[in-house]
Amino acid sequence: MSNRDELKERYLIAGKIASFEESLKSFQILLEDAKAGNIEEFTAFFNGVVLRLNHDYEKAIESFNNAIDINKNFAYPWNGLGNIYCSYDYEKKNYDKAIVCFKEAIKLDPNFAYPWNNLGNVYRRKKEDDLAIDCFKKAIKLDKNFTHPWTGLGNVYFIKKDYNDSIACFKKSITLDKNYSRPWHGLGNVYCSYDFEKKNYALAIDCYENAIELADTAKDLYFSSTIKERLKIAKEKKAAALPVVETDDLTEIILKETVKEIAGRADLEFKTFTQFTAEKTSEKDSNQIYLTVLRRWNSYTPIITDPYHISKGGGYFLKINGKGFVIDPGFNFIENFKGVRGKHLFHEIDYVFISHAHKDHTNDLESILTLLYEYNEEIKKSSNNDKEDTICKIIAKEKGIEDSDVTDKEIRDRFNESGRKKIIHFYITKSVYTKYSGFFNLSGYFDIDTPKYFTLTVIKNNNHIKFEKIPELYGHVSIKVINASHDDVVSKMDSVGFIFDFKETVLIYTGDTGWTDIMKKQYHEISELYKSKDKILIAHMGGFKEEELEYLDSKDHNKLYYKNHLGRIGITGINETLKPNICLISEFGEEFKEGNSRIEIARIFNKAFNDNGYDITFLPADIGLKYDFIKKQIEVIKKTNFAKKEKTFSYIDAKGVNVLQLDKKDNSLHYYKVKKDSDTIKRYLEDEYDNSLK
């Protein structure tokens, strides 16, 4: 990449920064770099940008014209001139001149999104709405991550009183840059509009307050003062819309007060829920096979220690040719499942495998069953009256009757024939069934005429599941249930692990197990059985036990030093036996959250095994770690971009994966590509974490 190309790329990033101070600093650095590189047209251009940001418009115009004189084909200074001629505080403001400048920039560089967006803003101010819409859409087509034209579209649709489209555009803008104040201001305007049937002054106030906070942070003081006037008006309208309730009827008082204050917010929260449980419309990841770790700590610790965003349990999720497999859905599984990169939806869950009855492996089982019921009920007859494709509405439309006149039997019969019913297949141990049998037996759901929404299979050691009737799975994967030595309180005999056998690779999940003689024999047999295949091992470590240190002084190295987890001795033994390609060390005790302990443990295992001739890569597993069985690689952060507020990802071999910990935040682990980028990536992730808590 030439110096000019690099400056162009950095300019396109700096131009999107919301904060005035950060933007000015970025352009000052660009100016110095252009000077150092003796790139005259960029030196003149960046000097013009810095002058414009400081409102020294006449000198900025001179600098932009100088850049044009140096390079007649340089589009950027024409865009800079246009920005000056449409600046709100430029005394010689001239929209027609701004249009000429923006069009010249587009003529010189048709793929330059900024002048298309700026041209849209000028046409909007000139009340030429259709031209503005065309320009904003062109800017979006050129740069799909450009938040400003989405805000511009929202403003035009607001003017045209197309409020629903306006809201959609503002929300899209916010998803692209949640630190940009303008779309929050736009949302506030919509919710405050007198002729918007869904107007909600409480929501408008929330949006304006968000916009003010972001504008103040960005040092956009003029805009902040404008929003404060709007906020004042919204509060006055809210007060006027809440007359004193002259009644003794407490129910009437509660209904009138809450519909103004809370109903709108509740509606938004409900929509978030229905998005997660939305019906499947297409197959996702239909040709992929991957594992996502959704687990952090072990056993009881997520119940009794730090705040929820720090103390997380979880489970695992496998996607195999479009079918989703949940393994051991413990504490926070659903939260982790929908929050991890990729934002999984409930309809992706097709199978649930549970290895034993401890709460940290079963806690969200009940949640999955409840969501399954809600998912199917929403298809039959939704609580959202705007949903047009429910079974109830389809029947009502066919018969020309009201929804309320459709009988439950009609809905049930049509639903059972529709092919839309979701069924989840549960494979659980005897101890899990003993613990949850009442719930499964009651979950008919809850009408004896309705077939169950699940199948239930009680599994034990040596069961083999081949999916003969599932074309997407048969011949692609089979699952073998293996033994585990673990007392789950309900039983000492029923705990298991799993082997997922793919064509070229096996995924071996130990579950919770001690390293007994029986386990040693079993894993020796597994090693022999799959010696021609790549092996990925998920090994549950647990904590450190003082008894393990007795190994150093004892002559009896076959003694069991840790009953319910592998510990250090078991992790060593199982890897010596299996010789996997990758060992994901998981289910750490929460005592390892401080001081990069998990990363250090993996490092020690890597060095010890590699120094002794083993070709095994050890990685500490945490929420978000993703392994692709087709690529045979792990997904990592490739690059972060503060200006765009985005991360880019790539897949690399496990040996090249670096790991960092947000030790001052939630102690989460993150996997990245280039070791020298560690500090930059960590700062980005810390900022991202802080913003997520706001």
Side-chain angles (χ1 to χ4, degrees):
M1 181 184 291
S2 70
N3 288 338
R4 281 181 172 79
D5 289 338
E6 182 184 349
L7 289 174
K8 284 181 180 180
E9 185 176 307
R10 289 168 61 193
Y11 160 63
L12 294 175
I13 293 170
K16 295 178 182 178
I17 297 174
S19 165
F20 169 77
E21 288 183 347
E22 288 183 25
S23 177
L24 180 59
K25 183 178 178 181
S26 294
F27 282 112
Q28 287 171 333
I29 293 170
L30 283 166
L31 173 58
E32 293 305 313
D33 289 349
K35 285 180 181 177
N38 199 29
I39 305 174
E40 293 183 358
E41 70 269 37
F42 273 99
T43 300
F45 168 62
F46 289 135
N47 187 55
V49 175
V50 171
L51 290 166
R52 182 181 70 80
L53 290 173
N54 286 310
H55 304 272
D56 194 344
Y57 294 126
E58 296 301 334
K59 287 184 179 179
I61 289 172
E62 184 180 330
S63 223
F64 287 140
N65 282 326
N66 186 24
I68 293 167
D69 289 339
I70 296 167
N71 184 349
K72 302 293 185 186
N73 297 316
F74 194 18
Y76 296 173
W78 284 105
N79 184 64
L81 286 171
N83 282 330
I84 291 175
Y85 287 124
C86 64
S87 293
Y88 70 91
D89 61 343
Y90 182 44
E91 59 184 16
K92 298 178 184 178
K93 179 168 58 183
N94 187 318
Y95 289 150
D96 291 333
K97 279 188 176 182
I99 289 171
V100 169
C101 293
F102 291 136
K103 285 185 173 180
E104 184 63 23
I106 291 167
K107 178 183 173 183
L108 292 170
D109 187 352
N111 295 319
F112 186 17
Y114 287 7
W116 281 108
N117 174 69
N118 295 332
L119 194 56
N121 282 323
V122 174
Y123 283 134
R124 177 177 62 82
R125 294 176 194 176
K126 288 170 66 68
K127 304 188 186 306
E128 297 180 48
D129 295 341
D130 291 338
L131 286 174
I133 288 171
D134 289 343
C135 291
F136 289 133
K137 287 183 175 179
K138 181 66 175 177
I140 290 166
K141 185 176 180 181
L142 290 170
D143 185 349
K144 61 181 174 42
N145 294 318
F146 194 7
T147 184
H148 294 62
W150 283 105
T151 300
L153 270 180
N155 287 327
V156 177
Y157 288 136
F158 172 72
I159 293 166
K160 293 167 73 71
K161 299 186 184 297
D162 190 349
Y163 294 127
N164 290 324
D165 281 349
S166 180
I167 289 172
C169 289
F170 288 135
K171 286 185 175 180
K172 177 64 177 178
S173 182
I174 289 167
T175 63
L176 291 171
D177 186 354
K178 60 187 175 184
N179 295 317
Y180 187 39
S181 60
R182 261 69 173 175
W184 285 107
H185 172 247
L187 276 177
N189 291 341
V190 176
Y191 288 126
C192 210
S193 297
Y194 74 92
D195 56 348
F196 180 36
E197 61 180 12
K198 297 178 183 177
K199 65 177 172 288
N200 186 315
Y201 298 127
L203 275 180
I205 290 168
D206 284 349
C207 291
Y208 285 142
E209 287 177 343
N210 275 344
I212 290 167
E213 180 181 353
L214 292 170
D216 286 345
T217 300
K219 299 293 188 286
D220 194 348
L221 303 182
Y222 174 82
F223 188 57
S224 176
S225 65
T226 301
I227 311 169
K228 286 173 182 174
E229 289 300 316
R230 295 274 190 179
L231 175 62
K232 180 180 177 183
I233 293 169
K235 288 181 175 179
E236 290 171 353
K237 285 183 176 182
K238 180 186 172 188
L242 288 169
V244 177
V245 182
E246 296 179 356
T247 177
D248 293 330
D249 187 329
L250 288 175
T251 302
E252 185 178 342
I253 293 170
I254 296 298
L255 289 173
K256 286 184 176 180
E257 292 289 339
T258 55
V259 76
K260 295 291 184 183
E261 284 292 320
I262 300 167
R265 293 191 187 98
D267 182 57
L268 289 176
E269 290 297 320
F270 178 73
K271 285 179 180 176
T272 300
F273 168 77
T274 55
Q275 286 169 0
F276 176 63
T277 55
E279 186 178 4
K280 178 169 69 173
T281 56
S282 62
E283 202 64 77
K284 183 180 177 184
D285 302 334
S286 57
N287 296 313
Q288 297 186 32
I289 303 176
Y290 63 79
L291 164 76
T292 301
V293 175
L294 298 172
R295 184 176 194 80
R296 182 163 299 156
W297 308 116
N298 75 344
S299 300
Y300 56 84
T301 53
I303 312 176
I304 62 173
T305 54
D306 285 326
Y308 73 93
H309 56 277
I310 294 176
S311 293
K312 288 191 175 185
Y316 306 89
F317 182 67
L318 265 171
K319 203 65 175 284
I320 307 172
N321 293 339
K323 298 296 183 182
F325 291 74
V326 171
I327 304 172
D328 285 351
F331 300 108
N332 316 105
F333 175 81
I334 293 295
E335 177 190 348
N336 299 343
F337 179 70
K338 68 180 183 178
V340 77
R341 174 173 144 74
K343 304 288 183 185
H344 292 296
L345 299 176
F346 180 73
H347 70 68
E348 295 179 62
I349 299 174
D350 300 295
Y351 297 85
V352 177
F353 282 74
I354 302 181
S355 66
H356 67 281
H358 271 153
K359 286 284 284 181
D360 63 316
H361 291 248
T362 62
N363 190 72
D364 273 7
L365 169 60
E366 187 173 335
S367 298
I368 291 172
L369 285 165
T370 302
L371 288 167
L372 178 60
Y373 173 73
E374 295 293 343
Y375 178 99
N376 283 304
E377 289 302 299
E378 278 290 303
I379 295 172
K380 290 195 286 185
K381 187 175 183 179
S382 177
S383 52
N384 176 12
N385 201 45
D386 295 332
K387 188 175 171 63
E388 294 293 332
D389 62 345
T390 63
I391 300 295
C392 178
K393 282 191 178 291
I394 290 170
I395 295 172
K397 189 174 181 179
E398 289 175 354
K399 300 180 81 172
I401 60 177
E402 294 294 322
D403 294 0
S404 57
D405 294 328
V406 181
T407 67
D408 289 342
K409 186 177 186 307
E410 287 177 302
I411 295 171
R412 182 170 61 243
D413 291 345
R414 178 70 67 87
F415 175 66
N416 290 336
E417 298 167 358
S418 67
R420 296 170 67 184
K421 182 195 302 180
K422 178 163 185 61
I423 294 175
I424 294 180
H425 308 280
F426 291 88
Y427 291 79
I428 64 176
T429 63
K430 182 181 176 182
S431 61
V432 176
Y433 179 73
T434 300
K435 186 174 180 178
Y436 286 93
S437 58
F439 192 83
F440 276 108
N441 287 337
L442 289 172
S443 302
Y445 279 104
F446 285 92
D447 182 340
I448 59 173
D449 294 323
T450 302
K452 292 180 178 180
Y453 298 150
F454 59 83
T455 67
L456 180 63
T457 303
V458 176
I459 55 175
K460 62 182 180 179
N461 181 30
N462 285 324
N463 283 162
H464 205 172
I465 303 151
K466 296 186 177 180
F467 306 104
E468 288 94 339
K469 297 181 180 179
I470 313 297
E472 299 93 330
L473 300 177
Y474 185 57
H476 298 281
V477 64
S478 63
I479 300 173
K480 183 174 182 177
V481 183
I482 59 176
N483 198 7
S485 176
H486 188 76
D487 182 355
D488 66 7
V489 180
V490 178
S491 169
K492 295 182 179 181
M493 305 295 295
D494 296 325
S495 297
V496 299
F498 304 110
I499 297 176
F500 290 79
D501 185 359
F502 305 108
K503 289 181 178 179
E504 297 179 356
T505 308
V506 289
L507 172 67
I508 301 167
Y509 173 65
T510 66
D512 288 0
T513 183
W515 188 237
T516 66
D517 289 341
I518 293 173
M519 291 300 105
K520 293 172 187 177
K521 181 183 178 193
Q522 171 183 257
Y523 280 101
H524 176 75
E525 292 170 354
I526 291 170
S527 178
E528 288 298 310
L529 183 63
Y530 298 110
K531 62 183 176 182
S532 64
K533 293 193 175 189
D534 290 340
K535 292 179 281 293
I536 310 300
L537 173 66
I538 301 176
H540 281 190
M541 179 175 223
F544 284 0
K545 294 291 185 183
E546 287 187 20
E547 298 92 303
E548 290 184 283
L549 297 179
E550 295 175 15
Y551 180 96
L552 300 174
D553 300 319
S554 173
K555 294 181 180 179
D556 182 8
H557 286 176
N558 293 315
K559 179 181 174 182
L560 177 61
Y561 293 95
Y562 196 160
K563 281 199 307 184
N564 285 320
H565 288 90
L566 290 168
R568 290 164 286 182
I569 295 172
I571 295 282
T572 304
I574 198 170
N575 279 279
E576 284 181 303
T577 303
L578 279 177
K579 302 177 181 64
N581 301 73
I582 301 171
C583 174
L584 303 178
I585 306 175
S586 188
E587 183 147 330
F588 288 92
E590 198 164 354
E591 62 268 28
F592 296 123
K593 71 182 180 183
E594 302 294 345
N596 295 315
S597 296
R598 290 169 292 167
I599 298 172
E600 183 63 11
I601 288 168
R603 185 196 67 76
I604 291 168
F605 272 99
N606 273 310
K607 186 175 188 310
F609 272 80
N610 292 340
D611 286 352
N612 283 276
Y614 289 84
D615 188 17
I616 304 173
T617 299
F618 292 84
L619 287 171
D622 198 1
I623 297 166
L625 187 151
K626 184 176 180 181
Y627 179 81
D628 189 300
F629 287 89
I630 297 173
K631 295 183 176 76
K632 297 187 177 181
Q633 292 180 320
I634 288 174
E635 186 182 64
V636 294
I637 299 170
K638 181 181 179 182
K639 196 175 182 181
T640 57
N641 188 314
F642 278 90
K644 292 184 178 181
K645 304 294 181 185
E646 68 180 16
K647 306 187 288 285
T648 55
F649 292 81
S650 63
Y651 281 91
I652 64 172
D653 293 339
K655 289 185 182 301
V657 174
N658 293 292
V659 189
L660 64 81
Q661 176 173 320
L662 296 192
D663 47 325
K664 296 180 181 178
K665 303 297 179 181
D666 63 347
N667 299 297
S668 55
L669 300 181
H670 299 266
Y671 308 88
Y672 65 101
K673 183 175 182 179
V674 182
K675 197 168 187 66
K676 68 181 178 62
D677 292 342
S678 172
D679 291 343
T680 301
I681 291 172
K682 189 170 185 178
R683 284 198 304 273
Y684 178 94
L685 293 170
E686 287 174 341
D687 182 63
E688 183 179 63
Y689 173 80
D690 289 339
N691 287 331
S692 74
L693 298 181
K694 290 180 180 178

